[in-house]
């Protein structure tokens, strides 16, 4: 191998690029994640800026989804999963004992890989979060909330005639947009998206990407994706994960045009994948 | 020669045939250049030959055992004195029974009359002919089978095809036994029920509110005094089943939810088998427990309450009367019995709810119980309903607990502290002991059986449909 | 945003309380179930442990020729006709010369089992040389005395001096025997070596256990091959058509038909139509076979399904016929699962009662059955019969019989679990 100016991977490593920001919504410090004895995430430090879209890319099994799930403590549902380090949501450590996961998840919403509408009506799906959190006082407010959430996701026109029909009857793309509407109906500060388009066809993907772009006006969005094009299209910053380590973080344009780390470059050019 | 020695002989013959067949196939293999030039392996030739020896002989034994009795008694009957032939069927049956007993040396001829001596002798004679002829004929058939089988061993005859055809036929016959059983149940129950409804009008049975089958000292009294109104039995059955389900459904469902969603792996590993022990305990043990522990305890408690009510001037308590065979005791214990049934069925359906739905709900900030109540439970509802229907069918068909702990008196009541009786209790009581097979009393048991079969079958079919639909939803 | 935070904060307390409440419902339900298991077992063990000991009373009996009306030349027939009753009564009376009242004398005889004279006779029949000699014998105590001596001896007298079913005179007699060291408890072998009896102290479960074994043997011999053949047919050979579907639906439905219906079937078909005898293990086994078939078929099919298709393809690819593929590869791999299902089916058959009542296995049978065509009863039916008996002492016997039945069942089920863990392969 020719002499390379770019960094290679060592046991102790330092994230290349600009992982830390001055003004951040979420700041992650020294986070390790273990599944039983197996370590899945190694010492990740990362800041996520307010009203920004950051995408996490990397080969499958690199820990990007695991990392995402740490951000609203979804990993709590897995018994053997153990998270150490510090993740701050506006100066509050979300792994602090005093933090209520229920409250946390109302602030940090999540959209999953496979559309997972509840087997209820479209209306009930969107109203679910508001109902459990008691966010509205009466039926009228709830109706408004449902309507506005669906409108923000561009789904209102398509479903307003059949709000009371089962959500499982929608197409895959519509279901995923419904899940996003369901998430934003709670008015979270951060939305986590775990490969939200991987189960969708190209046209539905395009619609969802457009939606993400619009939502970034008001929400901080972290998106995990296996599609580099998608990352390039929707995000301002991009983080590259490799075998549980955060290798490189930078502005999306920099990562894709001028990666600083050898692994990032290999991934971008298709040599790892 | 007894039947078991005959069986052993036939089996030995089969084994011998196998070895002869194998030897033969090796010897025909030599001239054609070894086993590899035979159409198939020697073991197939050997198996084919032993099948030739075994199957016809077995068939003959079976036919003989089935036909033997009726042929002999037909022959004896045709030679009875004239006046005996004119007896009605019941008395003729009794007479034939007595002749049969005499032929086995039980009783004396005096009771019957000397004119039946020839019949007895004839029966003894025919029986002895049958007993000697059968082994001889069976062994003969076996020998013929062996010879025929031996002749099939030729180098160009692929014995494997024949063996596999037999194999397939055996498999098919085995699987048709389940169908035959269903038909057997339907025909036996239906046939006797039709007999019953010729004696007791169908409408009286279905809409009658009085049940007292203790009747008919003489055959010609049948239907004259007993009443066969099934309503009290149905009400009793439903009452006890309802008590059982009121206990089993919430407890079973909540245990399943707790074990599936909350309990740690270690707790689940201990508790789940412990609860399953309840499913493995025989019903007769529950019956004993209900009759000797729970029912007296409930009665004692009830009596205590009554005395307390009387002392403190609470009128309705002072008149409380708990039967020693209360429906409550039987229902309670039956409920305990069904808990693991409900919980394992609920466990299945709860686990079938995809994890993605749970994630979706947690991701929105729902607590665990909110997720369970608002997402998992509604999603699993059809499956749970199916499970409850199956549990109901269990409760309705349960026999031993109610036989031992519920009463015999057919009270038409919905008071759980009184004694009621159930369909299954009556089936057992009507049929245990020696009855004549065609009195209305015994036939009533089959009519009840038909009723029970139809109800449980309907519940099962609906339940299985519901559960299947539910499974497809998530597959 | 602030509005949301306050609203959330307001609901949180209530929601977490609901969460805790819900968890407690779950815990209580589980606890109730476990408590039922524990209570059931404690109840039965506390009722039944006493039956494993039995009270015996020592007595010196002189086989006096004169009392028996026998001579040294008497034949066996004479011995059978001799009055062992008077011998026994004289012997007992002689020990208490002070008791002259007839009724009180009857109490004296009643300390011993009612079969005591017959035991003396059987002793002479076995060994005529005891005639004319004096023997130290140990005789089973009567059931009431047994219950009293085992459970209440030495306690304060109850109201009116009566404890259970014994009166003050009996209590005094037992105290006297105890002081003389003539009454003692031993391990109860009678329970395991005798058949049924009307007298609780002489009743045993040997007949019922042998009956159960014979019945299970018939069930096993029939249901295992038939179930395996059916499972193989349905999984490997059956064409996917209406008939096959019908068979499958049938099997699933049969699994849920109440067992008492199978009893009706057995009564109508096997006994009434084919004329097989009542009360015999053969018919019991046939009925239980039909009843357990669905269970075994369903689990056998599951274990055949679990054999991966790649193995079938490998065998067929080598040129094996379908039958060879099944016999050489699928069947051996599926066998552990099939055996597990069979053991569970057998355990179910062992505990079954209701259908056997229908086919007359409730008869009172003292003899131990020797063949599948001998009249017999089975363990659960014996439990049912004893539970129905009025004598108090039978409660103890019943509980003991239940303990033995449960021991068999636990053994069978844990064998099945062990087998599954040990032999079942994970693909």
């Amino acid at each position: 191998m020719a002499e390379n100016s770019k960094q290679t991977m060592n046991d102790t490593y330092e994230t290349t690029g600009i992982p830390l920001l001055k003004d951040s919504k979420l700041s992650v410090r020294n986070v390790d994640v273990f599944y039983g004895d197996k370590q899945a995430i190694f010492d990740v430090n990362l800041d996520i800026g307010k009203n920004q879209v950051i995408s996490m890319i990397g080969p499958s099994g690199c820990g990007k989804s695991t990392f995402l799930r740490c951000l609203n403590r979804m990993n709590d549902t897995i018994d053997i999963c153990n998270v150490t380090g510090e993740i701050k949501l506006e100066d509050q450590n979300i792994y602090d004992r005093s933090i209520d996961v229920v409250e946390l998840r109302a602030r940090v919403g999540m959209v999953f890989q496979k559309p997972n509408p509840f087997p209820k009506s479209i209306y009930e799906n969107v109203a679910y979060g508001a109902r459990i959190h008691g966010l509205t006082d009466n039926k009228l407010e709830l109706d408004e909330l449902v309507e506005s959430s669906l409108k923000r996701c561009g789904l209102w026109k398509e479903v307003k005639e059949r709000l009371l029909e089962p959500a499982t009857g929608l197409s895959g793309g519509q279901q995923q947009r419904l899940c996003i509407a369901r998430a934003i109906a709670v008015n979270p500060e951060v939305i986590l998206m775990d490969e939200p388009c991987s189960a969708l066809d190209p046209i539905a993907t395009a619609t969802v990407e457009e939606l993400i772009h619009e939502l970034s006006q008001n929400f901080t969005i972290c998106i995990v994706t296996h599609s580099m094009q998608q990352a390039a299209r929707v995000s301002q910053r991009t983080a590259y994960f490799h075998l549980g380590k955060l290798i490189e973080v930078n502005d999306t344009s920099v990562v894709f045009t001028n990666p600083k780390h050898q692994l990032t470059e290999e991934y971008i050019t298709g040599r790892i994948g | 020669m007894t039947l078991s020695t005959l069986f052993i002989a036939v089996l030995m013959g089969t084994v011998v045939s196998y070895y002869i067949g194998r030897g033969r196939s090796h010897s025909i293999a030599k001239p054609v250049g070894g086993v590899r030039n035979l159409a198939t392996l020697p073991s197939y030739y050997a198996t084919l030959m032993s099948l030739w020896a075994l199957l016809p002989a077995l068939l003959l034994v079976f036919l003989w055992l089935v036909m033997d009795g009726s042929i002999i008694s037909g022959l004896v009957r045709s030679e009875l004195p004239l006046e005996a032939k004119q007896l009605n069927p019941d008395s003729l049956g009794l007479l034939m029974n007595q002749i049969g007993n005499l032929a086995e040396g039980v009783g004396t001829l005096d009771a019957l009359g000397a004119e039946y001596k020839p019949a007895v002798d004839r029966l003894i004679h025919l029986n002895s002919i049958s007993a000697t002829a059968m082994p001889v004929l069976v062994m003969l058939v076996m020998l013929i089978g062996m010879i025929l089988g031996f002749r099939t061993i030729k180098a160009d005859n692929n014995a494997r095809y024949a063996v596999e055809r037999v194999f397939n036929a055996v498999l098919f016959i085995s699987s048709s036994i389940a169908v035959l059983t269903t038909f057997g149940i339907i025909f036996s129950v239906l046939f006797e029920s039709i007999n019953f409804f010729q004696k007791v009008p169908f409408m009286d049975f279905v809409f009658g509110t009085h049940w007292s089958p203790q009747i008919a000292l003489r055959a010609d009294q049948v239907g004259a005094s007993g009443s066969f109104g099934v309503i009290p039995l149905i009400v009793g059955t439903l009452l006890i089943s309802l008590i059982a389900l009121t206990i089993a459904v919430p407890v079973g469902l909540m245990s399943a939810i707790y074990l599936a969603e909350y309990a740690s792996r270690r707790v689940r590993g201990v508790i789940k088998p412990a609860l399953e022990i309840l499913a493995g305990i025989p019903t007769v043990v529950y019956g004993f427990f209900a009759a000797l522990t729970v029912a007296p305890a409930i009665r004692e408690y009830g009596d205590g309450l009554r005395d307390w009510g009387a002392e403190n001037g609470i009128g309705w308590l002072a008149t409380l009367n708990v039967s020693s065979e209360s429906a409550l005791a039987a229902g309670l214990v039956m409920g305990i019995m069904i808990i693991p049934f409900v919980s394992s069925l609920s466990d299945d359906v709860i686990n079938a709810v995809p994890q993605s739905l749970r994630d979706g709900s947690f991701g929105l900030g729902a607590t665990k119980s909110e997720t369970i109540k608002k997402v998992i439970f509604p999603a699993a509802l059809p499956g749970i309903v199916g499970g409850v229907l199956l549990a109901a069918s269990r409760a309705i068909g349960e026999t031993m607990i109610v036989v031992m702990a519920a009463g015999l008196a057919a009270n038409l009541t919905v008071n759980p502290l009184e004694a009621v009786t159930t369909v299954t209790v009556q089936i057992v009581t009507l049929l245990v002991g020696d009855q004549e097979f065609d009195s209305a009393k015994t036939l009533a048991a089959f009519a009840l059986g038909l009723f029970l079969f139809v109800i449980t079958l309907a519940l099962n079919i609906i339940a299985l449909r519901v559960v299947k639909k539910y499974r497809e939803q998530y597959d | 945003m602030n509005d949301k935070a306050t609203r959330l904060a307001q609901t949180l307390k209530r929601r977490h309380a609901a969460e805790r409440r819900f968890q407690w419902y779950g815990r209580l339900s589980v606890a109730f179930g476990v408590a039922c298991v524990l209570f059931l077992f404690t109840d039965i063990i506390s009722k039944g442990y006493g039956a494993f000991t039995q009270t015996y009373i020592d007595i010196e009996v002189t086989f006096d020729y004169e009392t028996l009306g026998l001579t040294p030349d008497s034949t066996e027939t004479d011995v059978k006709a001799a009055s062992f009753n008077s011998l026994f009564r004289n012997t007992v009376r002689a020990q208490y010369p002070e008791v002259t009242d007839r009724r009180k004398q009857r109490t004296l005889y009643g300390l011993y089992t009612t079969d005591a004279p017959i035991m003396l006779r059987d002793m002479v029949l076995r060994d005529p040389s005891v005639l004319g000699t004096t023997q130290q014998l140990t005789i089973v105590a009567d059931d009431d005395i047994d219950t009293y001596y085992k459970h209440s001896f030495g306690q304060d007298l109850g109201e009116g001096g009566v404890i259970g079913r014994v009166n003050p005179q009996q209590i005094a007699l037992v105290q006297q025997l105890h002081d003389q060291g003539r009454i003692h408890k031993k391990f109860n072998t009678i329970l395991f070596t005798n058949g049924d009896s009307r007298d609780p102290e002489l009743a045993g479960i040997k007949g019922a256990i042998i009956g159960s074994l014979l019945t299970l043997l018939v069930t096993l011999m029939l249901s295992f091959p038939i179930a395996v053949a059916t499972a193989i047919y349905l999984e490997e050979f059956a064409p996917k058509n209406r008939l096959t579907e019908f068979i499958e639906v049938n099997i699933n439905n049969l699994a849920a038909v109440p067992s008492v219906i199978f009893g009706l079937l057995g009564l109508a078909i096997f006994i009434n139509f084919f004329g097989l005898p009542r009360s015999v293990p053969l018919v019991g086994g046939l009925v239980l076979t039909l009843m357990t078939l669905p269970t075994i078929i369903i689990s056998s099919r599951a274990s055949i399904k679990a054999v991966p298709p790649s193995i079938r393809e490998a065998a067929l690819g080598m040129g094996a016929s379908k039958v060879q593929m099944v016999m050489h590869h699928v069947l051996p791999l599926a066998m552990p699962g099939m055996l597990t299902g069979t053991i569970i089916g057998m355990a179910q058959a062992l505990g079954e009662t209701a259908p056997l009542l229908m086919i007359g296995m409730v008869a009172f049978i003292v003899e131990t059955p020797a063949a599948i065509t001998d009249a017999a009863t089975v363990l659960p039916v014996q439990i049912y019969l004893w539970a129905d008996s009025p004598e108090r002492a039978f409660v103890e016997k019943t509980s003991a019989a239940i303990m033995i039945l449960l021991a068999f069942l636990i053994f069978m089920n844990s064998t099945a679990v062990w087998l599954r863990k040990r032999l079942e392969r994970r693909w």
Side-chain angles (χ1 to χ4, degrees):
Chain A
M1 192 185 282
E3 162 64 26
N4 204 320
S5 62
K6 287 169 181 166
Q7 265 183 287
T8 48
M9 209 161 128
N10 309 315
D11 276 352
T12 53
Y13 73 102
E14 215 159 278
T15 304
T16 320
I18 315 164
L20 308 184
L21 301 176
K22 265 194 200 131
D23 178 30
S24 66
K25 183 80 190 169
L26 275 165
S27 69
V28 177
R29 292 291 178 273
N30 307 104
V31 163
D32 293 316
V33 180
F34 300 87
Y35 285 110
D37 295 336
K38 206 175 149 272
Q39 189 164 4
I41 298 285
F42 298 84
D43 193 29
V44 169
N45 291 284
L46 177 67
D47 279 343
I48 297 168
K50 199 171 176 183
N51 292 4
Q52 256 194 354
V53 180
I54 180 167
S55 54
M56 330 250 171
I57 58 170
S60 46
C62 67
K64 53 193 194 293
S65 285
T66 302
F67 177 71
L68 189 75
R69 292 169 72 96
C70 292
L71 300 181
N72 74 341
R73 293 181 58 181
M74 277 304 281
N75 284 334
D76 286 12
T77 56
I78 302 162
D79 284 341
I80 55 166
C81 184
N82 185 24
V83 180
T84 62
E86 192 183 68
I87 301 176
K88 273 188 174 162
L89 175 64
E90 288 187 340
D91 298 335
Q92 256 184 325
N93 184 1
I94 65 168
Y95 281 88
D96 196 87
R97 281 176 160 271
S98 65
I99 286 288
D100 187 338
V101 275
V102 169
E103 209 181 344
L104 170 69
R105 287 176 193 159
R107 295 173 67 191
V108 184
M110 188 153 189
V111 175
F112 298 85
Q113 186 168 7
K114 217 177 127 219
N116 56 354
F118 303 134
K120 298 168 179 266
S121 68
I122 294 168
Y123 182 92
E124 283 301 324
N125 261 284
V126 182
Y128 181 80
R131 277 191 202 280
I132 55 170
H133 296 307
L135 297 183
T136 54
D137 289 323
N138 51 43
K139 175 88 171 107
L140 206 69
E141 277 182 47
L142 190 61
D143 286 349
E144 275 171 19
L145 177 66
V146 170
E147 189 181 333
S148 66
S149 306
L150 285 170
K151 272 183 177 155
R152 287 169 88 175
C153 295
L155 204 56
W156 177 248
K157 276 189 198 133
E158 292 161 58
V159 301
K160 67 177 174 193
E161 302 298 324
R162 43 177 182 150
L163 284 177
L164 299 180
E165 284 174 31
T168 40
L170 295 173
S171 75
Q174 287 173 323
Q175 286 189 8
Q176 193 63 300
R177 279 186 287 151
L178 179 71
C179 291
I180 296 174
R182 189 173 69 185
I184 63 175
V186 187
N187 195 20
E189 295 151 47
V190 182
I191 303 176
L192 309 175
M193 295 186 173
D194 188 359
E195 302 196 24
C197 299
S198 66
L200 304 183
D201 62 64
I203 295 172
T205 303
T207 329
V208 172
E209 282 178 8
E210 206 168 301
L211 175 59
I212 294 170
H213 191 71
E214 276 165 33
L215 293 174
S216 66
Q217 313 292 319
N218 301 308
F219 301 99
T220 305
I221 296 176
C222 305
I223 175 168
V224 163
T225 175
H226 61 260
S227 152
M228 284 175 276
Q229 289 87 342
Q230 186 170 60
R233 281 192 298 264
V234 300
S235 63
Q236 282 100 47
R237 291 172 79 218
T238 295
Y240 174 71
F241 282 79
H242 189 95
L243 294 176
K245 292 174 180 172
L246 177 57
I247 303 301
E248 182 165 356
V249 187
N250 219 324
D251 286 351
T252 300
S253 53
V254 178
V255 172
F256 283 103
T257 54
N258 187 16
K260 299 281 187 290
H261 197 286
Q262 188 195 347
L263 284 168
T264 318
E265 188 189 18
E266 282 176 4
Y267 182 71
I268 305 277
T269 51
R271 269 181 279 167
I272 323 175
Chain B
M1 194 184 242
T2 64
L3 208 53
S4 41
T5 34
L6 183 64
F7 268 118
I8 291 168
V10 169
L11 283 183
M12 277 169 55
T14 310
V15 174
V16 169
S17 306
Y18 185 89
Y19 284 102
I20 295 177
R22 209 170 65 167
R24 170 70 182 167
S25 54
H26 278 292
S27 65
I28 60 164
K30 249 171 229 155
V32 294
V35 171
R36 86 178 72 106
N37 289 336
L38 293 178
T40 188
L41 296 171
S43 64
Y44 280 104
Y45 289 110
T47 310
L48 184 61
M49 180 167 162
S50 53
L51 285 174
W52 269 102
L54 177 72
L55 293 181
L58 266 190
L59 189 68
L60 182 66
V61 173
F62 181 71
L63 284 180
W64 198 287
L65 289 177
V66 173
M67 314 283 280
D68 178 53
S70 53
I71 292 177
I72 291 181
S73 77
L75 284 174
V76 173
R77 201 174 299 175
S78 68
E79 287 165 29
L80 285 176
L82 197 59
E83 74 268 27
K85 283 187 194 168
Q86 285 159 349
L87 286 172
N88 68 30
D90 285 352
S91 322
L92 188 63
L94 192 65
L95 179 68
M96 291 303 294
N97 250 341
Q98 283 173 311
I99 294 175
N101 283 343
L102 279 175
E104 282 170 21
V106 180
T108 57
L109 201 56
D110 306 341
L112 209 56
E115 67 270 31
Y116 292 107
K117 178 94 171 69
V120 175
D121 290 342
R122 176 87 177 140
L123 183 59
I124 295 174
H125 181 61
L126 285 174
N127 275 342
S128 75
I129 290 181
S130 166
T132 9
M134 185 175 75
V136 173
L137 280 177
V138 167
M139 296 318 276
L140 193 68
V141 165
M142 186 160 167
L143 205 65
I144 296 171
M146 281 168 78
I147 293 167
L148 289 176
F150 190 78
R151 290 170 54 139
T152 61
I153 303 176
K154 298 196 190 90
D156 56 348
N157 176 22
N158 194 333
R160 203 190 78 214
Y161 296 147
V163 170
E164 294 191 349
R165 266 202 302 280
V166 173
F167 184 82
N168 267 321
V170 169
L171 293 188
F172 180 74
I173 292 168
S174 296
S175 52
S176 62
I177 284 178
V179 180
L180 289 179
T181 310
T182 308
F183 281 124
I185 290 175
I186 293 172
F187 283 122
S188 58
V189 176
L190 200 61
F191 185 68
E192 308 292 351
S193 300
I194 290 170
N195 273 344
F196 173 74
F197 290 125
Q198 282 166 355
K199 299 183 190 221
V200 176
F202 182 71
M203 287 299 160
D204 290 4
F205 177 73
V206 176
F207 296 109
T209 55
H210 188 68
W211 176 270
S212 73
Q214 304 304 326
I215 44 136
L217 292 171
R218 293 206 316 274
D220 50 73
Q221 274 184 335
V222 164
S225 62
S227 48
F228 293 94
V230 82
I231 297 282
L233 308 191
I234 295 178
V235 172
T237 307
L238 291 183
L239 177 64
I240 291 182
S241 306
L242 200 69
I243 296 171
L245 291 179
T246 336
I247 294 181
V249 171
V251 174
L253 189 57
M254 281 309 292
S255 318
I257 289 175
Y258 184 80
L259 291 178
E261 304 285 336
Y262 287 106
S264 67
R265 188 187 294 261
R266 240 191 44 225
V267 170
R268 190 162 49 231
V270 176
I271 300 287
K272 231 176 158 185
L275 282 183
E276 274 162 13
I277 290 178
L278 282 176
I281 293 175
T283 54
V284 68
V285 177
Y286 283 109
F288 175 79
F289 182 63
L292 276 99
T293 304
V294 178
I298 290 179
R299 190 187 157 86
E300 216 165 278
Y301 189 67
D303 287 353
L305 271 184
R306 183 182 55 207
D307 297 344
W308 185 80
E311 275 170 29
N312 294 280
I314 303 170
W316 64 272
L317 255 186
T319 57
L320 190 75
N321 193 15
V322 183
S323 160
S324 59
E325 294 176 324
S326 60
L328 185 60
L332 198 74
V333 174
M334 196 188 279
I336 295 174
M337 185 192 85
I338 306 179
I339 289 173
F341 192 72
V342 175
S343 83
S344 76
L345 283 172
S346 316
D347 193 48
D348 285 352
V349 293
I350 288 169
N351 283 328
V353 175
Q355 182 62 32
S356 67
L357 288 185
R358 291 182 180 82
D359 283 351
S361 179
F362 292 146
L364 288 168
T367 63
K368 243 180 178 178
S369 65
E370 283 162 352
T371 305
I372 293 164
K373 282 188 277 194
K374 301 206 170 120
V375 176
I376 298 177
F377 185 74
L381 192 62
I384 291 171
V385 169
V388 171
L389 288 180
L390 284 179
S393 127
R394 262 284 172 93
I396 290 173
E398 170 48 40
T399 310
M400 289 321 291
I401 294 178
V402 279
V403 164
M404 294 169 81
L408 288 177
N411 297 326
L412 185 54
T413 175
V414 288
N415 180 353
L417 301 179
E418 278 184 50
V420 293
T421 190
T422 72
V423 174
T424 47
V425 171
Q426 290 304 320
I427 294 178
V428 171
T429 353
L430 292 175
L431 285 179
V432 171
D434 293 317
Q435 264 102 20
E436 284 196 45
F437 206 77
D438 43 8
S439 75
K441 198 176 146 186
T442 40
L443 292 179
F446 284 90
L448 291 176
L450 177 66
F451 174 78
L452 188 62
F453 181 69
V454 170
I455 295 288
T456 50
L457 192 68
L459 279 175
N460 289 331
I461 290 176
I462 297 170
L464 290 178
R465 279 262 159 91
V466 172
V467 172
K468 200 176 162 197
K469 268 257 164 65
Y470 165 76
R471 290 257 158 79
E472 281 164 0
Q473 189 187 329
Y474 291 116
D475 272 349
Chain C
M1 193 63 86
N2 251 342
D3 176 47
K4 181 191 155 193
T6 40
R7 275 171 181 280
L8 242 174
Q10 281 165 5
T11 63
L12 276 177
K13 210 172 160 193
R14 180 177 50 77
R15 289 166 67 193
H16 284 301
E19 170 74 24
R20 275 193 298 278
R21 228 176 13 251
F22 190 78
Q23 274 200 44
W24 272 108
Y25 293 148
R27 284 203 192 96
L28 284 178
S29 298
V30 171
F32 178 77
V34 175
C36 285
V37 177
L38 293 178
F39 182 52
L40 197 97
F41 275 84
T42 354
D43 182 54
I44 284 165
I45 291 172
S46 65
K47 279 197 175 105
Y49 76 95
F52 291 98
T53 53
Q54 170 72 45
T55 311
Y56 291 84
I57 302 172
D58 294 334
I59 188 169
E60 202 177 72
V61 180
T62 305
F63 290 90
D64 182 24
Y65 281 112
E66 200 179 324
T67 325
L68 288 169
L70 297 172
T71 61
D73 319 318
S74 291
T75 61
E76 208 175 293
T77 336
D78 294 331
V79 173
K80 276 183 182 160
S83 176
F84 284 92
N85 218 0
S86 358
L87 173 74
F88 176 69
R89 289 180 176 205
N90 289 348
T91 313
V92 175
R93 263 205 312 274
Q95 294 181 332
Y96 303 92
E98 72 282 6
V99 181
T100 49
D101 178 49
R102 284 217 147 209
R103 193 185 299 159
K104 287 192 172 170
Q105 284 175 348
R106 219 169 292 143
T107 312
L108 292 179
Y109 316 142
L111 290 173
Y112 303 86
T113 172
T114 36
D115 266 9
I118 299 171
M119 288 175 172
L120 297 183
R121 188 195 68 192
D122 289 346
M123 221 179 128
V124 176
L125 286 175
R126 266 201 308 277
D127 179 16
S129 67
V130 298
L131 277 174
T133 63
T134 300
Q135 299 283 332
Q136 276 294 345
L137 298 182
T138 298
I139 289 182
V140 180
D142 177 70
D143 54 328
D144 290 335
I145 301 297
D146 176 53
T147 310
Y148 165 70
Y149 188 66
K150 280 193 299 203
H151 299 296
S152 322
F153 181 67
Q155 288 175 9
D156 289 337
L157 295 187
E159 212 170 298
V162 176
I163 294 180
R165 287 163 50 93
V166 293
N167 57 36
Q169 191 202 350
Q170 287 170 312
I171 290 172
L173 286 169
V174 172
Q175 185 66 50
Q176 192 184 346
L177 286 170
H178 182 74
D179 295 341
Q180 293 166 351
R182 280 176 54 204
I183 187 166
H184 47 85
K185 289 180 280 188
K186 283 203 297 194
F187 180 69
N188 187 0
T189 49
I190 294 172
L191 187 62
F192 300 98
T193 55
N194 272 24
D196 198 6
S197 167
R198 300 273 185 226
D199 297 309
E201 71 272 17
L202 296 175
I205 52 165
K206 185 181 170 198
I209 285 183
I210 302 290
S212 271
L213 288 181
L214 289 172
T215 310
L216 276 196
L217 191 72
V218 174
T219 312
L220 181 65
M221 298 301 267
L222 291 172
S223 63
F224 181 65
I226 295 176
V228 169
T230 306
I232 292 176
Y233 180 76
L234 290 178
E235 285 300 323
E236 302 286 342
F237 292 96
K240 288 276 164 266
N241 60 19
R242 280 268 174 87
L243 181 66
T244 314
E245 202 179 309
F246 181 64
I247 294 176
E248 288 185 16
V249 170
N250 246 299
I251 290 170
N252 287 337
N253 281 327
L254 274 183
V257 168
S259 60
V260 69
I261 303 270
F262 285 96
L264 289 177
L265 169 80
L267 183 60
I269 303 281
F270 297 131
I271 293 181
N272 229 27
F273 185 73
F274 285 117
L276 294 173
R278 273 171 163 261
S279 314
V280 299
L282 174 63
V283 179
L286 284 170
V287 170
L288 292 180
T289 299
L290 297 183
M291 215 193 76
T292 49
L293 266 182
T295 314
I296 309 181
I297 292 174
I298 290 169
S299 65
S300 299
R301 287 187 67 180
S303 60
I304 292 178
K305 254 195 206 125
V307 176
S310 59
I311 292 193
R312 293 182 180 81
E313 281 157 12
L316 292 178
M318 297 282 293
S321 74
K322 213 166 176 188
V323 174
Q324 286 169 325
M325 177 267 282
V326 170
M327 297 302 282
H328 298 169
H329 301 283
V330 177
L331 203 53
L333 291 172
M335 198 44 89
M338 291 175 162
L339 287 179
T340 313
T342 306
I343 295 174
I344 288 168
M346 288 301 113
Q348 189 189 339
L350 177 60
E352 198 50 68
T353 322
L356 302 181
L357 299 183
M358 310 271 88
I359 56 156
M361 293 190 90
V362 279
F364 173 74
I365 292 151
V366 179
E367 298 296 317
T368 304
I372 56 170
T373 48
D374 288 351
T377 189
V378 293
L379 203 44
V381 176
Q382 187 72 73
I383 290 168
Y384 166 68
L385 285 172
W386 282 356
D388 244 16
S389 303
E391 286 91 349
R392 282 295 300 271
F394 267 126
V395 172
E396 196 175 81
K397 293 267 168 175
T398 314
S399 306
I402 288 176
M403 284 159 73
I404 292 164
L405 177 63
L406 289 179
F408 273 114
L409 289 176
I410 288 170
F411 171 72
M412 287 169 85
N413 282 312
S414 31
T415 311
V417 170
W418 176 80
L419 202 66
R420 189 179 331 191
K421 281 209 177 121
R422 183 77 202 273
L423 296 175
E424 222 163 50
R425 202 182 290 228
R426 296 249 171 256
W427 302 103

